[in-house]
């Protein structure tokens, strides 16, 4: 009989779908990752695994999981999985594209506006009893309307983010590993070099996946090229940013502020200097966190597992790259 491992607690309706074709073993906590030792033990005889970004699925895992046929990763990104090695072991890897695009773009846009208008600072200001009077420049922020917005990574989420700029009379720049003529026509977006994007943008939005080319892309040199009143937003992957360089840029006022939904280490260490800066807003990786979207992500994982175990083509397979 198939053994299906689920590494986080998910609602029972999804579990019941999988129980039709196998024995489901599910980690019983929603907010605490499955310990590495327990994960290694349970996946040894598993036929399928519904994983999250918290699980590092490397050769140590794959060589032990001799029965494994499919890994359904509950995310668009899959940098937590050695996809090429999985392919060598004959294991199908799937992800959850498209279903979370709009929700993630919406969160990114919310984060941009929140940082630009200093919403967290303003709410804290009131809650701490500091609000004594109105002032001409009290907690004055930065306008999105009429600004130049640079998008690093014009994939589905980047395009969805750009769509949301239409009512803000912005100039849209983008940099991507390849040009997108559809985005240029439909969104009136202009392709520029990475350096041009940094130098000309009032807001720099990172929606890119983590690859060898994007890792540490936003380093000290990158932040030095940005405007002193620029705002940096990251909803891509944490490792795209050199966080020490970002902290230094914020402290030196090389850039105005930042908003981050993703970090190199998640959850963030409570002693991290980013948490001490009033011009940094840090969120707990909630880009796709609406009830409807999370349901759709889990359902797509379930559908991919059912397809593979029933000898059908997976719906959203990740292709390995030579």
């Amino acid at each position: 009989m198939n053994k299906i491992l689920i590494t986080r607690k998910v609602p029972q309706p999804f579990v019941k779908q999988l129980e039709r074709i196998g024995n489901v073993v599910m980690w019983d906590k929603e907010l605490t990752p499955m310990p590495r030792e327990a994960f290694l033990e349970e996946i040894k005889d598993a036929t399928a695994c519904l994983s999250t970004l918290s699980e590092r699925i490397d050769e140590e895992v794959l060589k032990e999981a001799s029965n494994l046929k499919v890994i359904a990763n509950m995310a668009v990104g899959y940098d937590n999985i050695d996809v090429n090695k999985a392919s060598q072991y004959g294991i199908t890897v799937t992800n959850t594209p498209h279903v979370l695009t709009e929700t993630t773009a919406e969160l990114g846009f919310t984060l941009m506006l929140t940082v630009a208008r200093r919403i967290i600072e303003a709410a804290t200001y009131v809650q701490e009893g500091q609000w004594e009077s109105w002032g001409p420049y009290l907690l004055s922020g930065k306008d999105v309307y009429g600004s130049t917005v640079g998008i690093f990574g014009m994939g589905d989420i980047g395009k969805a983010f750009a769509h949301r700029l239409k009512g803000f009379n912005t100039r849209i720049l983008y940099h991507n590993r390849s040009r997108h003529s559809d985005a240029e026509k439909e969104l009136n977006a202009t392709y520029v070099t990475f350096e041009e994007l940094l130098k000309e943008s009032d807001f720099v939005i990172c929606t890119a996946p983590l690859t060898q080319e994007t890792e540490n892309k936003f380093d000290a040199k990158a932040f030095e090229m940005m405007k002193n009143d620029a705002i940096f937003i990251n909803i891509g992957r944490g490792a795209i940013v050199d966080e020490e360089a970002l902290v230094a840029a914020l402290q030196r006022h090389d850039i105005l502020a930042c908003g981050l939904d993703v970090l190199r280490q998640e959850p963030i260490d409570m002693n991290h200097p980013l948490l001490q800066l009033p011009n940094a807003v840090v969120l707990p990786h909630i880009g796709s966190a609406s009830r409807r979207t999370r349901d759709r992500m889990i359902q797509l994982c379930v559908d991919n597992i059912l397809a593979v175990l029933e000898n059908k083509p997976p719906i959203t397979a990740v292709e390995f790259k030579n």
Side-chain angles (χ1 to χ4, degrees):
M1 176 180 280
N2 293 313
K3 175 183 174 181
I4 302 164
L5 174 63
I6 304 177
T7 63
R8 286 295 176 98
K9 186 177 181 180
V10 301
Q12 279 300 310
F14 300 110
V15 177
K16 288 180 179 179
Q17 291 179 59
L18 293 171
E19 285 178 338
R20 291 192 288 104
I21 60 166
N23 176 42
V24 175
V25 174
M26 180 171 67
W27 180 240
D28 62 358
K29 295 178 176 61
E30 181 182 351
L31 300 179
T32 304
M34 193 174 191
R36 178 75 171 179
E37 297 77 15
F39 177 61
L40 286 169
E41 182 62 31
E42 291 291 356
I43 204 169
K44 280 183 180 179
D45 58 346
T47 316
C49 177
L50 197 165
S51 62
T52 72
L53 288 173
S54 300
E55 286 74 56
R56 188 178 77 255
I57 302 180
D58 51 17
E59 187 167 17
E60 180 186 20
V61 174
L62 297 170
K63 70 181 181 182
E64 293 294 329
S66 57
N67 295 332
L68 198 60
K69 295 181 179 179
V70 56
I71 301 166
N73 207 42
M74 189 184 159
V76 173
Y78 43 87
D79 44 277
N80 58 312
I81 302 171
D82 188 334
V83 176
N84 288 3
K85 190 64 66 174
S87 177
Q88 292 174 21
Y89 281 95
I91 300 167
T92 298
V93 178
T94 70
N95 63 343
T96 59
H98 313 308
V99 294
L100 53 71
T101 298
E102 299 297 336
T103 302
T104 305
E106 189 173 277
L107 184 279
F109 207 83
T110 302
L111 186 53
M112 177 180 68
L113 291 172
T114 297
V115 177
R117 295 304 304 273
R118 302 174 67 181
I119 299 300
I120 304 299
E121 290 178 80
T124 302
Y125 185 82
V126 173
Q127 290 167 359
E128 292 181 349
Q130 299 182 60
W131 186 22
E132 297 179 354
S133 176
W134 178 90
Y137 293 97
L138 174 64
L139 290 161
S140 57
K142 183 179 177 69
D143 287 317
V144 173
Y145 187 88
S147 67
T148 297
V149 179
I151 301 173
F152 178 68
M154 192 58 92
D156 289 343
I157 294 172
K159 291 175 187 175
F161 187 96
H163 271 288
R164 285 161 171 76
L165 291 167
K166 282 189 172 183
F168 285 77
N169 192 34
T170 57
R171 175 188 176 215
I172 303 174
L173 308 179
Y174 81 96
H175 181 76
N176 202 65
R177 59 185 173 187
S178 58
R179 292 185 65 164
H180 287 287
S181 58
D182 57 336
E184 293 174 21
K185 293 176 183 177
E186 183 180 353
L187 303 169
N188 198 27
T190 302
Y191 178 84
V192 293
T193 66
F194 183 61
E195 291 72 19
E196 288 173 318
L197 182 127
L198 296 175
K199 291 176 180 177
E200 297 184 30
S201 298
D202 298 301
F203 296 87
V204 175
I205 318 298
C206 175
T207 67
L210 178 62
T211 65
Q212 289 183 344
E213 292 74 26
T214 63
E215 187 172 5
N216 291 317
K217 188 73 171 178
F218 287 90
D219 55 11
K221 184 179 178 182
F223 291 120
E224 287 170 6
M225 280 191 274
M226 290 170 63
K227 295 180 179 181
N228 294 132
D229 65 344
I231 289 175
F232 174 68
I233 303 294
N234 187 14
I235 57 171
R237 281 289 180 267
I240 296 174
V241 179
D242 179 337
E243 289 177 359
E244 290 185 9
L246 174 58
V247 169
L250 291 166
Q251 291 173 332
R252 291 195 305 260
H253 304 291
D254 289 340
I255 63 173
L256 180 63
C258 76
L260 310 173
D261 186 45
V262 288
L263 297 121
R264 299 189 78 96
Q265 176 187 320
E266 297 180 2
I268 191 171
D269 189 309
M270 291 308 296
N271 295 316
H272 199 296
L274 278 169
L275 300 182
Q276 311 306 317
L277 298 173
N279 54 344
V281 174
V282 179
L283 302 182
H285 202 150
I286 56 170
S288 60
S290 73
R291 294 290 305 185
R292 181 175 66 173
T293 294
R294 289 290 167 86
D295 282 350
R296 288 177 173 177
M297 292 169 70
I298 297 171
Q299 186 62 60
L300 183 52
C301 288
V302 168
D303 290 344
N304 273 308
I305 289 171
L306 291 173
V308 172
L309 296 189
E310 292 172 351
N311 297 313
K312 298 175 183 177
I315 301 163
T316 52
V318 172
E319 294 184 6
F320 80 95
K321 299 175 182 178
N322 293 316

